[in-house]
Amino acid sequence: MPSSYLRELKYATLAFFTIYGFYAIPTMLAKHSSIPISLIYGNSEISLAMNSIEPGEYFLNVEKINSNCQISIDGQIVSQSGFVTNDSSRPRTFLTVGAAIDITKKNEQRVIVISCRSPTTFRKSIEISPILTKRLVGIVYYLWQSTIDNILGPAISAFSLIFLTLLAFSSGLRRLRLYFFASFVSFLYSLSLSNMTWLFAPDHVASVIHVNLKLIHALSIFLLLSTTRSFKAILVFASVSGIAGVYISNQIGHLTIYYKFWLNYLLPVLSVLSVIDNYSTKEETRQTLTRKIFSITWGLCHLLTASQFSMGTSNFSWPLVVAISVVAVLYLATTEWVTERKFLGVVSTILSTIKDESRPKEGVMRIARMAFEQTKFKRLSVYIDSYCLGQTTNPQVQMTRVMEYGYQKDTTQDAEILFSENQGQVMLEALKSGKEVLRQGPKNDWFLVVPIGPHACFNFSNDSETENYIAFESAEAIKKILPALQTISQKLVDHAVRNTTALGKLKSILGSGQHPATIGSVFVDINNFTKNIERYGEAYGNFVSHIYIPSLIRAVQGLLSLEFTRGDEAYFVAINELLPSQITVAEGTLKGIEAIDHFAKHEGANLCKEHGYDVLTISTGANVGEATIICDELSVRTSGRVVNEAKRLQQGAGKGQILVHNDFVEKHSVENDLYWSESFPILFKKNQINARRLIGKKNQSKVS
């Protein structure tokens, strides 16, 4: 058995015997100091023979909390709980019954009778265990037993309800509702255990209420401890069938049998399943450790209760168990609330830092240090995609280290990670999956690789043996702030794009204002983007926007300049001032179209396969003509009919097709080098555009 299992079993066993001993040991001490008395058993009562008792002040306790009992001395009732008689004028108490007895002389004849009955009729007979002690000892034991059996559970449950209500109002955490429900049911069940239900309802009604509360309380704790959907489904089914069973069995007069069936069989089985469910999770945080210990202890309590119920004994205090369970619920809720509040502040700081930092590289380094402070790792290294730093032409080829902390060894050889040379494979795995990777090294040292989008990684590690819970708690902390960390990823991509495109240079060349010019306008759109998002999830969208389109931008560099990207769409322009001197706008546009087609069929196809996606296709529309270049403080952008027509051509293109304006083909005589389809019409704002589809190059095979 793994050492962690033994540790949790040890703690659970310790907790169980603490609960058991907290009730049993004082009872044993009281019995040990008790005065021997003779008992005379009747049909439903016990008479005490006091003729051998020395004169003095004594106190009589009745060790029976789930029963309605009364003590009469010399024919007068001196202590009574519940509805034992129909005489409403006699005082009743919800506390344990007990009575002070004065013996003034030896062999004094006192007629003391104790009578008890179970209002639930779950047992055929009741074993009454009277304890006669000296007055002070008896009163202390009486107050202790009454506190444990009648006051502690309702008091702690009521405090938990008030406290959780305040937490819920201050934080709004949805999960606190489950803690609140468990505390609320515990409060009602503890009242029922204290016989308070029978003070206000007839026996048969109070019995049904008690059984329902017993089942709902147990199931609420199981639900709170559950970690998997399958076990939650079992609990929902058990809840519905259990409550329905109470109603049916009560109607046909078999509530006792049904109660015994639940208590002896189903609750112990659910206890075992709860333990298995908690051990199905691989996480070992202190929160999960507490839940495992709680589930084992809870299971032991149910198993012991089932065994004692079947044997007719009662040396175990369920009011105490309920009180302890509420304390555990309160602990879990409070720690979750404190953790959430802590990370809300961290997330706010991170988001503020990202918003204010105009330099993505420095921003990554700053938030990496903030994230590092939330973990219990001792080393940190930060890597950024070399593409974002302008060092490579394609993303996810090489990672460059921009920061490290806590390393004692020489890490010069890890300054740059080249994936093609089989370096940094765990980092590559994290980048492609978009999920953090937590693993244990050969020396029981742990490391955590956290991808920040597809273009940066935080590597947390220790260089020595590390407790499992430290690693898992650190990973859990990073998960809570990861959505905030990811917001820097888009800044990295934007930074890379700005370094790639030369469109921003136009403002310094042309100056502010509106400038007429001949431009090439090219729109590109990814086919079936929405369907693939539904198929592959959000990771596909990240791949397109952070990997595929940046690689496409690099592929057309020097020919087409990026004006904007919107999700699965990119818009490029060819402008004379940004082209090599020997290339015209028309030639740059045409060569750019060819580069797009080549990229989609080769480099782009390989990227898709490497990341586990089907090869995607692109629809392209292009046109060349007169437009206006607008340079102002907001941006550099183009507008005009040629731009609108290029967009319409892209919308009319089929999957993998390239459509260009017929005038573009005819005016610039590009038909001599390429295969083009015949001209065909496309409707554009009630006007017709004559388009041609690119088929292929004449010295190459045709493309359909």
Side-chain angles (χ1 to χ4, degrees):
M1 181 180 290
S3 59
S4 61
Y5 289 12
L6 291 173
R7 177 189 60 191
E8 289 145 17
L9 183 60
K10 177 182 69 176
Y11 288 147
T13 304
L14 179 63
F16 170 75
F17 280 108
T18 299
I19 297 172
Y20 184 77
F22 193 73
Y23 184 82
I25 291 176
T27 302
M28 292 171 58
L29 292 175
K31 289 182 177 180
H32 180 73
S33 61
S34 64
I35 298 169
I37 51 178
S38 300
L39 303 178
I40 304 171
Y41 290 91
N43 292 330
S44 60
E45 60 186 27
I46 294 179
S47 299
L48 280 66
M50 307 291 290
N51 50 354
S52 60
I53 303 299
E54 294 291 333
E57 296 179 340
Y58 299 93
F59 198 91
L60 180 65
N61 281 288
V62 178
E63 188 192 4
K64 204 73 217 164
I65 65 164
N66 287 329
S67 306
N68 290 328
C69 297
Q70 68 180 21
I71 301 175
S72 60
I73 301 178
D74 298 332
Q76 181 180 359
I77 297 176
V78 295
S79 181
Q80 174 178 297
S81 66
F83 288 91
V84 180
T85 69
N86 292 323
D87 187 357
S88 59
S89 63
R90 291 175 179 170
R92 295 183 174 85
T93 176
F94 63 87
L95 302 178
T96 304
V97 292
I101 302 174
D102 294 323
I103 303 296
T104 57
K105 58 183 179 179
K106 193 171 184 178
N107 297 326
E108 181 179 5
Q109 298 297 320
R110 305 296 301 273
V111 180
I112 302 175
V113 179
I114 304 172
S115 60
C116 293
R117 69 178 178 84
S118 172
T120 61
T121 66
F122 292 148
R123 295 191 180 97
K124 294 181 179 180
S125 60
I126 295 177
E127 295 181 2
I128 305 173
S129 303
I131 301 176
L132 184 66
T133 59
K134 290 292 186 179
R135 179 73 55 86
L136 180 60
V137 174
I139 291 177
V140 171
Y141 177 65
Y142 172 79
L143 293 175
W144 173 86
Q145 188 181 28
S146 296
T147 301
I148 296 298
D149 290 343
N150 305 105
I151 299 175
L152 191 63
I156 292 180
S157 300
F159 171 79
S160 177
L161 282 175
I162 297 171
F163 187 76
L164 290 177
T165 301
L166 295 176
L167 287 188
F169 276 113
S170 64
S171 64
L173 293 178
R174 294 184 62 185
R175 186 167 174 79
L176 283 183
R177 292 184 296 183
L178 188 55
Y179 294 114
F180 183 87
F181 176 72
S183 295
F184 179 68
V185 175
S186 298
F187 176 70
L188 296 179
Y189 182 49
S190 60
L191 291 179
S192 181
L193 284 171
S194 301
N195 281 340
M196 294 186 189
T197 312
W198 280 270
L199 293 176
F200 306 103
D203 286 356
H204 68 283
V205 175
S207 297
V208 172
I209 294 174
H210 180 78
V211 175
N212 273 316
L213 289 175
K214 170 72 175 178
L215 302 183
I216 296 173
H217 174 257
L219 293 171
S220 68
I221 299 298
F222 286 136
L223 184 62
L224 187 64
L225 296 174
S226 62
T227 61
T228 61
R229 289 185 177 181
S230 56
F231 187 56
K232 283 184 172 71
I234 292 174
L235 291 175
V236 171
F237 175 77
S239 302
V240 175
S241 60
I243 296 173
V246 171
Y247 176 78
I248 295 172
S249 60
N250 185 58
Q251 293 296 314
I252 62 177
H254 292 295
L255 182 61
T256 301
I257 298 174
Y258 179 79
Y259 183 70
K260 289 181 178 180
F261 174 71
W262 261 92
L263 202 64
N264 290 334
Y265 300 105
L266 290 187
L267 289 182
V269 169
L270 289 176
S271 300
V272 174
L273 291 178
S274 177
V275 174
I276 295 173
D277 175 69
N278 273 273
Y279 274 94
S280 66
T281 177
K282 296 180 180 180
E283 295 183 358
E284 294 188 29
T285 64
R286 276 178 290 190
Q287 186 88 344
T288 58
L289 175 63
T290 303
R291 291 178 181 277
K292 290 175 182 179
I293 294 173
F294 193 179
S295 66
I296 296 174
T297 307
W298 190 245
L300 290 173
C301 291
H302 279 292
L303 291 172
L304 181 63
T305 301
S307 64
Q308 289 191 344
F309 194 93
S310 60
M311 293 185 295
T313 61
S314 180
N315 296 319
F316 194 57
S317 173
W318 260 101
L320 180 60
V321 174
V322 173
I324 298 298
S325 70
V326 172
V327 171
V329 168
L330 200 57
Y331 170 78
L332 291 172
T334 304
T335 53
E336 185 167 327
W337 178 81
V338 169
T339 302
E340 291 293 337
R341 298 293 292 181
K342 171 188 174 184
F343 287 116
L344 281 175
V346 175
V347 166
S348 177
T349 303
I350 290 174
L351 291 176
S352 177
T353 300
I354 294 173
K355 180 180 178 181
D356 297 338
E357 181 58 70
S358 59
R359 299 166 298 175
K361 176 181 173 181
E362 285 71 16
V364 169
M365 295 166 61
R366 288 178 64 185
I367 66 171
R369 191 56 187 259
M370 293 180 194
F372 178 67
E373 291 172 354
Q374 308 311 312
T375 73
K376 295 185 178 179
F377 286 109
K378 298 177 181 177
R379 302 188 306 188
L380 166 68
S381 60
V382 180
Y383 286 83
I384 295 179
D385 195 333
S386 302
Y387 166 79
C388 296
L389 302 176
Q391 299 173 4
T392 59
T393 57
N394 289 313
Q396 289 193 355
V397 173
Q398 177 180 294
M399 301 293 288
T400 300
R401 188 180 64 219
V402 296
M403 176 184 177
E404 70 173 6
Y405 173 81
Y407 286 85
Q408 303 297 323
K409 64 178 182 178
D410 183 13
T411 59
T412 305
Q413 62 179 0
D414 299 325
E416 293 183 345
I417 302 296
L418 196 61
F419 294 138
S420 60
E421 296 183 0
N422 207 34
Q423 297 176 333
Q425 293 306 298
V426 177
M427 194 186 304
L428 182 61
E429 175 188 340
L431 288 170
K432 287 187 174 182
S433 66
K435 298 179 180 178
E436 60 277 7
V437 177
L438 177 66
R439 289 186 184 161
Q440 192 171 25
K443 299 179 181 179
N444 292 328
D445 51 331
W446 286 85
F447 63 91
L448 174 65
V449 180
V450 181
I452 307 302
H455 297 300
C457 266
F458 298 167
N459 298 336
F460 307 96
S461 61
N462 281 336
D463 57 358
S464 58
E465 184 174 351
T466 306
E467 288 285 346
N468 293 358
Y469 81 89
I470 291 178
F472 281 99
E473 281 190 354
S474 298
E476 188 68 23
I478 293 298
K479 283 182 181 179
K480 292 182 180 298
I481 62 175
L482 190 56
L485 297 175
Q486 298 291 6
T487 57
I488 194 70
S489 177
Q490 188 59 49
K491 279 200 171 186
L492 287 171
V493 176
D494 294 341
H495 178 71
V497 169
R498 283 196 299 270
N499 288 340
T500 301
T501 180
L503 193 61
K505 298 177 182 178
L506 271 180
K507 188 173 181 180
S508 61
I509 297 173
L510 300 176
S512 299
Q514 298 186 7
H515 309 279
T518 299
I519 69 166
S521 180
V522 181
F523 280 89
V524 172
D525 186 72
I526 307 296
N527 300 139
N528 296 328
F529 181 74
T530 303
K531 289 184 178 179
N532 284 329
I533 286 285
E534 294 174 355
R535 177 183 177 186
Y536 294 113
E538 186 179 347
Y540 181 80
N542 291 332
F543 164 72
V544 170
S545 60
H546 293 169
I547 302 294
Y548 193 90
I549 289 182
S551 298
L552 173 61
I553 295 169
R554 289 281 186 180
V556 299
Q557 190 174 12
L559 299 170
L560 300 175
S561 297
L562 179 72
E563 184 169 316
F564 67 77
T565 61
R566 293 194 188 107
D568 60 336
E569 178 187 40
Y571 173 51
F572 300 92
V573 293
I575 298 176
N576 185 61
E577 286 80 1
L578 301 178
L579 289 169
S581 57
Q582 71 276 16
I583 298 180
T584 66
V585 169
E587 290 172 339
T589 303
L590 185 62
K591 290 181 181 295
I593 291 171
E594 291 184 66
I596 291 171
D597 186 57
H598 185 274
F599 172 83
K601 295 172 180 175
H602 297 90
E603 293 94 338
N606 290 334
L607 281 175
C608 294
K609 294 174 183 177
E610 288 173 5
H611 287 79
Y613 303 118
D614 291 341
V615 176
L616 56 80
T617 57
I618 295 175
S619 295
T620 306
N623 195 9
V624 174
E626 296 303 314
T628 300
I629 302 174
I630 303 171
C631 301
D632 56 26
E633 66 278 1
L634 296 176
S635 64
V636 177
R637 56 197 183 277
T638 57
S639 67
R641 184 179 180 87
V642 64
V643 178
N644 297 332
E645 288 179 344
K647 176 59 180 175
R648 183 64 189 93
L649 287 165
Q650 176 263 305
Q651 293 173 340
K655 294 180 181 179
Q657 292 183 349
I658 298 175
L659 295 187
V660 299
H661 201 291
N662 181 61
D663 293 345
F664 171 44
V665 177
E666 292 182 349
K667 287 182 180 179
H668 301 282
S669 303
V670 297
E671 69 273 12
N672 295 327
D673 299 326
L674 301 169
Y675 287 111
W676 296 92
S677 70
E678 294 296 326
S679 176
F680 59 92
I682 292 179
L683 190 64
F684 170 65
K685 291 184 178 180
K686 299 182 181 180
N687 296 318
Q688 181 175 294
I689 301 176
N690 292 321
R692 288 198 186 187
R693 180 169 58 86
L694 177 63
I695 297 176
K697 226 169 184 178
K698 288 185 177 180
N699 59 351
Q700 297 178 357
S701 58
K702 294 182 180 181
V703 181
S704 58

